[in-house]
Amino acid sequence: MKFFFSRKIFALKVVVLLLFTNNSNSQTTYKVIYKVEPILQEKIDDKSESTKQIVKKIVEYARNTNYVLIANQKNSIFKKEEQLQIGNKDRLEHIYIKGSKLFTSFNEKIYTDFENYSIIFIRNLLDRNFTVKRSFHEFNWKINDSVKTILGLKARNAKGAYYDPISDKKIEVDVWFTPSIPLSAGPDIFMGLPGLIVEIHLKKAIISVSTIEENIETDIKSLKSNNVLTQEEFENMILKLNSKILKDFN
Amino acid sequence: MHNFVQPTLKDKVINFKMMKKLLILTVLLTGFSFTSLDANAKVKEKSCFQGARELVIILDGEINIDNVGLVNDLTAACENGDITFN
């Protein structure tokens, strides 16, 4: 109960801060592009040349992948930016794309309803898409005094952590947000601060803003699916998949 | 009656040198064959599955349900001859 109450108070503080930061921006819709700088989890110096080449190719794909966030104060949608495709993708290209997604572990798409404190996301596991609806992740953000400039905007630092059911671990997150853009949005599940998240430091990647466009004319539509799982159902399914599949791989 | 000719000292030296060369050649060939066996053993050691698993751990740090699909895809591509890990 205390936990729930503190979460509500924090959400209220964010809303009040956003309202007082810049009221004229309340209906403004932004288009934000994020780029990815991958971080390898092991050194590759002692690996074979073939392995090094595949890793380099996957890193290159990750660096060339952009993510787009369309957001206003009511809702947002976040997904991988569509790229022009010339010809059919071959088998290896599919592998490089799949590999490049591991650095961020982002969902395929995520819709956020800021007014109802809920998200709907599509997660691809074992080549199957699952749609899940849940409340915001609980990051317990701690905003500190560190300040830096990103894309000419003054950004503040915050640290938080959340539980990831797929790795069954608590993941620590270090983010920079800019109060000058009054959105509590950010890439993927990362949100809930009094300003747009412009940079995230994760264990496997640094995700940072590359462009921000204001006054975008677009409708933000919710994700629709006939079979929407609750977070509890999703976590139970992950538990079952883990016990069935992973014993052969570890 | 056989007519045996006693080898001269020069012949003995030549024979000794030949034997020495043969011995060195035998030792070298034996050594080389062991090295080749070892190299083959190493190639066999890293299977397509092991190479795929190792690569995914470089990228993701562990194997979980988020990346087992990639382990399978990499293994299949390796077995198909599209890629190699050795």
Side-chain angles (χ1 to χ4, degrees), chain A residues 45 47-56, chain B residues 84-86:
Chain A
D45 305 344
K47 307 297 176 196
S48 70
E49 274 308 308
S50 320
T51 302
K52 280 182 198 168
Q53 287 308 314
I54 301 168
V55 170
K56 278 180 190 168
Chain B
T84 175
F85 300 110
N86 293 300

Side-chain angles (χ1 to χ4, degrees), chain A residues 39-42 44 47-48 50-51 54-55 58 91-92 95 98-99 102-103 105 123-126 166-167 169 204 238 241-242 245-246 248-250, chain B residues 46 49 51 53-80 82-86:
Chain A
I39 300 168
L40 295 179
Q41 299 304 292
E42 277 189 6
I44 57 167
K47 307 297 176 196
S48 70
S50 320
T51 302
I54 301 168
V55 170
I58 291 172
R91 188 175 172 168
L92 284 184
I95 287 177
K98 211 182 234 187
L102 294 182
F103 295 111
S105 289
R123 183 80 193 187
N124 187 284
L125 292 174
L126 303 163
I166 291 171
S167 59
K169 281 175 190 159
K204 294 180 284 181
I238 290 168
L241 287 174
N242 271 333
I245 294 161
L246 290 183
D248 297 329
F249 286 82
N250 287 309
Chain B
K46 197 192 276 182
F49 171 72
R53 190 180 174 279
E54 184 184 87
L55 195 142
V56 170
I57 288 173
I58 293 170
L59 303 174
D60 215 6
E62 62 175 19
I63 303 295
N64 57 43
I65 53 165
D66 218 9
N67 58 37
V68 283
L70 184 62
V71 177
N72 286 335
D73 291 351
L74 284 164
T75 306
C78 169
E79 284 170 353
N80 200 38
D82 298 335
I83 51 169
T84 175
F85 300 110
N86 293 300

Side-chain angles (χ1 to χ4, degrees), chain A residues 70 72 74-79 109-114 116 118-122 131-134 218-226 228:
Chain A
I70 309 284
N72 56 40
K74 285 183 177 171
N75 46 25
S76 73
I77 189 106
F78 177 83
K79 61 183 178 177
K109 276 183 190 174
I110 174 165
Y111 169 82
T112 307
D113 180 346
F114 293 108
N116 291 308
S118 73
I119 57 173
I120 302 172
F121 63 86
I122 298 172
T131 307
V132 184
K133 185 175 182 179
R134 58 164 290 168
T218 185
D219 283 337
I220 300 172
K221 288 175 186 160
S222 179
L223 303 176
K224 286 193 172 78
S225 169
N226 293 329
V228 180

